[in-house]
Amino acid sequence: MMINTTEITHFTLSPYFDTGAYRYLYFLIILTSYAAIICANLLLIVVICVNRSLHEPMYMFLCSLFVNELYGSTGLFPFLLLQILSDVHTVSVSFCFLQVFCVYTYACVEFINFVVMSYDRYYAICWPLQYKSCMTLKTVTTLISLTWLLPFIMIVVLISLSAPLQLCGNVINKVFCGNYAIIKLACSDTRVHNIFGLIYTFISVIIPLVLILYTYVRILKVCFSGSKQTRQKAVSTCTPHLASILNFFFGCCFQILQSRFDTSGVPNVFGILSSLYFLTCQPLFTPLLYGLKMTKIRIACKQLFCGSLTRLFSCSSDIFSKSHQSQSYC
């Protein structure tokens, strides 16, 4: 019997299973990971904003990337924590579409941010004399604005096509809501939705990847034909960028393959971990990678910590000396 869309008020997430007493261990692991993501990304955002020497285009784009990591992880982790402790793994239709919006905009912003960062590195290394005149504050502001605005428009269009669909079921075979997982529940013809979904994947994943590869081929050509100092500069700034791109790209590939193909033969635990990979590892991997590999950020973090500790010890010694003087006076 056909179920009308008005009768469906919630979706059931089927991959969740009863973990018994282990649920509290899983809850603690997820909570610790989320706390680490918040602390690591917030620290680097504060370091970049406070330190004037980091008010350069490359670090502004990095700041946008760290904000996106916070945004994407917040769209998933609180939801995961609730589902782990819950006995009934359901989610309302409205919240499900909200999560689709958060997760998909996060992925799209991430890729476009990588493209912008590649473009910045290309100009800095291949056209160093024209870099400052090209990468002005206005250009940086425009690029960051487009990085966030374009994905939001695309996902609003995507959801506006999926939301009115007439559904014949409410069981989603994912640990979080996905647009294609909802489309597969539709009773009506979904060819338009499938075509738009493929176009969205092409625009948000394939085109950015091609642009990134093109810029890095050009960068490598300049590096191999340039001096040793040029090569060292390129390696120090481009290695974390490439590592972060590859990590996120493979995570997205797992997600797309799971959405588009039948994965019933895949073990449940592996399916859950691979589907969560790009939303759990990337937000933690990115700040750690850039914080450890980029010299200026690492030095700024050390200065921030050392300055905080110095002020703390100074305040403590002042309080102690005042207390000692008052005792002597008495």
Side-chain angles (χ1 to χ4, degrees):
M1 188 178 88
M2 188 177 290
I3 303 173
N4 199 308
T5 48
T6 55
E7 295 175 0
I8 295 177
T9 58
H10 67 275
F11 292 110
T12 301
L13 306 172
S14 62
Y16 287 98
F17 55 93
D18 184 21
T19 55
Y22 286 106
R23 70 170 65 183
Y24 301 107
L25 175 62
Y26 297 145
F27 179 86
L28 187 61
I29 292 169
I30 297 293
L31 183 62
T32 305
S33 302
Y34 185 42
I37 287 168
I38 291 173
C39 292
N41 284 283
L42 271 180
L43 170 65
L44 294 185
I45 290 167
V46 169
V47 165
I48 290 171
C49 291
V50 174
N51 200 307
R52 286 185 176 275
S53 65
L54 298 179
H55 291 181
E56 297 174 11
M58 179 174 66
Y59 300 105
M60 293 296 102
F61 298 137
L62 273 177
C63 193
S64 171
L65 191 69
F66 299 143
V67 170
N68 192 44
E69 304 301 356
L70 287 175
Y71 169 68
S73 57
T74 303
L76 176 72
F77 276 88
F79 174 78
L80 272 183
L81 292 170
L82 286 173
Q83 290 297 324
I84 288 169
L85 293 181
S86 178
D87 294 321
V88 181
H89 306 293
T90 59
V91 57
S92 67
V93 172
S94 56
F95 184 85
C96 196
F97 279 111
L98 176 63
Q99 190 174 54
V100 168
F101 179 81
C102 291
V103 171
Y104 280 53
T105 48
Y106 160 73
C108 201
V109 168
E110 194 86 352
F111 269 119
I112 295 176
N113 215 125
F114 284 144
V115 172
V116 170
M117 289 169 70
S118 300
Y119 171 75
D120 174 72
R121 290 300 83 206
Y122 168 71
Y123 258 92
I125 294 167
C126 300
W127 305 93
L129 298 178
Q130 293 90 346
Y131 178 72
K132 284 191 176 181
S133 60
C134 174
M135 203 61 68
T136 60
L137 179 61
K138 184 180 178 181
T139 306
V140 172
T141 306
T142 304
L143 288 172
I144 292 175
S145 300
L146 289 173
T147 297
W148 285 86
L149 185 62
L150 290 176
F152 276 62
I153 294 170
M154 287 173 64
I155 306 308
V156 165
V157 174
L158 191 74
I159 291 174
S160 66
L161 287 171
S162 305
L165 279 172
Q166 190 177 43
L167 305 179
C168 289
N170 68 338
V171 179
I172 294 177
N173 190 29
K174 286 173 70 71
V175 290
F176 61 91
C177 294
N179 187 65
Y180 191 67
I182 296 170
I183 289 172
K184 286 195 286 189
L185 299 174
C187 306
S188 54
D189 184 26
T190 58
R191 276 180 294 183
V192 174
H193 303 81
N194 289 330
I195 291 168
F196 188 83
L198 291 172
I199 292 170
Y200 163 77
T201 304
F202 183 76
I203 292 172
S204 61
V205 179
I206 306 301
I207 291 178
L209 190 65
V210 170
L211 290 172
I212 290 165
L213 289 174
Y214 171 76
T215 54
Y216 273 97
V217 167
R218 297 294 299 271
I219 288 168
L220 286 172
K221 283 178 71 176
V222 170
C223 289
F224 282 118
S225 61
S227 63
K228 185 180 178 181
Q229 187 180 0
T230 306
R231 286 196 294 271
Q232 286 177 342
K233 181 185 176 183
V235 168
S236 65
T237 58
C238 296
T239 301
H241 186 48
L242 279 173
S244 189
I245 290 167
L246 290 172
N247 181 64
F248 188 69
F249 175 72
F250 284 120
C252 285
C253 281
F254 286 137
Q255 180 62 31
I256 292 166
L257 290 172
Q258 277 192 324
S259 298
R260 292 280 168 177
F261 298 100
D262 181 24
T263 56
S264 55
V266 177
N268 192 33
V269 175
F270 178 78
I272 291 171
L273 292 176
S274 59
S275 67
L276 292 173
Y277 182 82
F278 84 109
L279 276 167
T280 53
C281 291
Q282 184 70 12
L284 189 58
F285 180 74
T286 298
L288 288 176
L289 185 67
Y290 285 105
L292 292 172
K293 283 288 182 182
M294 300 198 75
T295 309
K296 272 194 172 184
I297 292 180
R298 192 168 64 247
I299 291 169
C301 286
K302 285 180 181 177
Q303 287 174 345
L304 183 68
F305 276 119
C306 291
S308 300
L309 287 172
T310 303
R311 284 192 294 271
L312 181 65
F313 284 125
S314 176
C315 290
S316 300
S317 61
D318 287 345
I319 292 167
F320 177 76
S321 61
K322 285 178 182 178
S323 173
H324 183 69
Q325 286 172 5
S326 63
Q327 285 176 3
S328 300
Y329 178 77
C330 292

